[in-house]
Amino acid sequence: MSTRHQLLQLRRHLLKTLIPELIWPETATVDGVPIPVRSAPYSFGVKKLLAWSNDYELPERTIVRSVLRPGAQVVELGASIGVLTAVISHSVGLTGKVVSVEADPLLVEYASGWLKNAFPQTEMVTGFAFPVSRIPTSLTVTKFDNHRGSLGGTVHFSLAGESTAGAPDDLDRSPPSSREVWDIETLCATFDIRPQVLVVDVEGSEAIVGCQNPYFPESIHDLVMELHPWTYPDGETEAQAIESRIVSEGFTRVSRIGATYHWSR
């Protein structure tokens, strides 16, 4: 582990130790949804964003609110702490359906508890999610860097031995072998969902779209995806390849806020 990441971990530990939980509200209202804050296993930075600035995942939330309607069915890849999952679930209502995947089992264990109570139409599962209809048999998840704590981590994978997503080698790593690998087709079949909207924030694994045609199901009309060029070996060039393959499937870019894109067809 690098000195920088050791210092970041020390800072998180000191903030968590020195800042009393009582300074935080029980909940923070995000887009009309009460999100647990006090005693939640989030970092100081995440709690600050939720409780004081309302900026947490603001680009994704802004786009998702403009897309979703009551009754919609949504697949979300990359749930993190479940805030965007809650906003999605609130937007589609009890007549809708949401299936969300998160790679970090600790985040899933916590978030799925309060999400299921508030939104029974929502299913949250653990695993590595890839935004393609079918993952190739040559795909191998090589490591999961969970250095970002309560924000989740970065998925690294290879296709036939070639590294396809990466970041500096000095990051923390978790063994990937105990987690499921999900593609869209498997999620749809397992949870009997026919999504109209696909929301993707899976740091690293979206790079697979730059390597193969995703063949998104015909039911998907709106795609919301955050790109992470800093995790790709070829950076912005790879990000452009991802968009080119999305456009080749009939999608048109509707908007972009920061690194978050909305395509529709």
Side-chain angles (χ1 to χ4, degrees):
M1 185 191 304
S2 69
T3 301
R4 176 177 176 272
H5 291 122
Q6 287 178 326
L7 290 173
L8 284 173
Q9 284 192 346
L10 177 61
R11 178 177 179 273
R12 291 187 190 117
H13 175 73
L14 289 173
L15 285 170
K16 188 173 183 179
T17 302
L18 298 176
I19 305 297
E21 280 296 310
L22 288 176
I23 74 165
W24 305 112
E26 289 282 351
T27 61
T29 301
V30 178
D31 298 340
V33 184
I35 306 295
V37 177
R38 187 184 299 171
S39 301
Y42 310 150
S43 68
F44 175 88
V46 169
K47 289 183 177 181
K48 180 180 176 182
L49 286 173
L50 289 171
W52 296 338
S53 71
N54 201 34
D55 286 341
Y56 183 81
E57 291 188 335
L58 185 58
E60 293 93 329
R61 286 163 40 209
T62 301
I63 294 174
V64 159
R65 289 198 313 268
S66 71
V67 170
L68 294 180
R69 299 291 181 270
Q73 298 195 15
V74 183
V75 166
E76 180 193 28
L77 308 182
S80 188
I81 61 176
V83 172
L84 188 61
T85 314
V87 171
I88 292 170
S89 302
H90 177 72
S91 298
V92 304
L94 291 175
T95 58
K97 189 170 185 177
V98 180
V99 174
S100 185
V101 186
E102 168 54 42
D104 191 324
L106 295 179
L107 295 184
V108 173
E109 182 180 3
Y110 174 75
S112 60
W114 67 268
L115 280 170
K116 200 63 180 175
N117 289 331
F119 304 106
Q121 77 278 30
T122 298
E123 195 78 44
M124 192 171 183
V125 295
T126 306
F128 299 111
F130 290 85
V132 292
S133 279
R134 290 187 182 183
I135 53 174
T137 56
S138 60
L139 183 142
T140 301
V141 175
T142 55
K143 59 180 180 286
F144 177 61
D145 298 329
N146 56 354
H147 62 286
R148 298 178 67 199
S150 58
L151 288 177
T154 304
V155 176
H156 301 253
F157 67 97
S158 65
L159 293 171
E162 180 180 351
S163 179
T164 313
D169 284 337
D170 57 4
L171 302 180
D172 297 339
R173 297 170 183 170
S174 295
S177 58
S178 61
R179 273 160 275 192
E180 294 280 352
V181 177
W182 297 94
D183 54 31
I184 301 170
E185 190 173 282
T186 305
L187 285 168
C188 291
T190 302
F191 297 100
D192 190 25
I193 186 170
R194 192 170 185 268
Q196 294 93 36
V197 181
L198 176 64
V199 180
V200 183
D201 186 2
V202 282
E203 189 168 309
S205 65
E206 78 276 8
I208 193 173
V209 178
C211 306
Q212 68 168 70
N213 290 327
Y215 298 115
F216 295 118
E218 291 183 2
S219 64
I220 294 176
H221 300 299
D222 288 280
L223 170 60
V224 181
M225 182 183 293
E226 182 175 355
L227 301 184
H228 306 87
W230 56 92
T231 71
Y232 313 151
D234 296 326
E236 288 293 341
T237 300
E238 203 160 334
Q240 292 170 9
I242 292 172
E243 180 161 31
S244 294
R245 289 187 185 271
I246 291 170
V247 170
S248 73
E249 298 206 355
F251 286 88
T252 301
R253 189 203 292 187
V254 177
S255 63
R256 174 185 176 182
I257 305 176
T260 303
Y261 296 72
H262 171 209
W263 295 277
S264 186
R265 64 179 176 184

